[in-house]
Amino acid sequence: ELYTLSLHDALPISAPLAFQPGGALLATGGHDRRARLFDVATGAPVRTIDTPTDHLAFSSDGTQLAIADAAAATVTLWEV
């Protein structure tokens, strides 16, 4: 085990997770209506995005993170 990340309050078993291409960042989502980015090498939090997060996906070059909000039927692109 490298480390354990403290992710979200009330993290469901089916919480969305996505690794950035190249593996530098891990994006997580939770019922706390936040997406969080972590540095994979250190486990340190990098950024928190306040938005409902049902699904996550990085762009192929790893510079953008798509976050889907199922209730609003929207996908928002964020620069990372």
Side-chain angles (χ1 to χ4, degrees):
E1 179 178 317
L2 295 174
Y3 44 79
T4 300
L5 299 174
S6 177
L7 300 176
H8 300 262
D9 301 335
L11 182 70
I13 291 173
S14 61
L17 299 170
F19 280 97
Q20 183 185 40
L25 295 175
L26 172 66
T28 68
H31 283 276
D32 58 359
R33 301 176 57 91
R34 291 186 176 106
R36 290 193 170 100
L37 297 173
F38 293 90
D39 181 307
V40 172
T42 65
V46 174
R47 182 175 178 190
T48 299
I49 301 170
D50 291 320
T51 187
T53 306
D54 295 303
H55 302 282
L56 300 165
F58 279 97
S59 60
S60 61
D61 65 0
T63 62
Q64 296 179 333
L65 179 64
I67 301 176
D69 176 355
T74 60
V75 175
T76 305
L77 295 177
W78 298 84
E79 295 288 332
V80 294

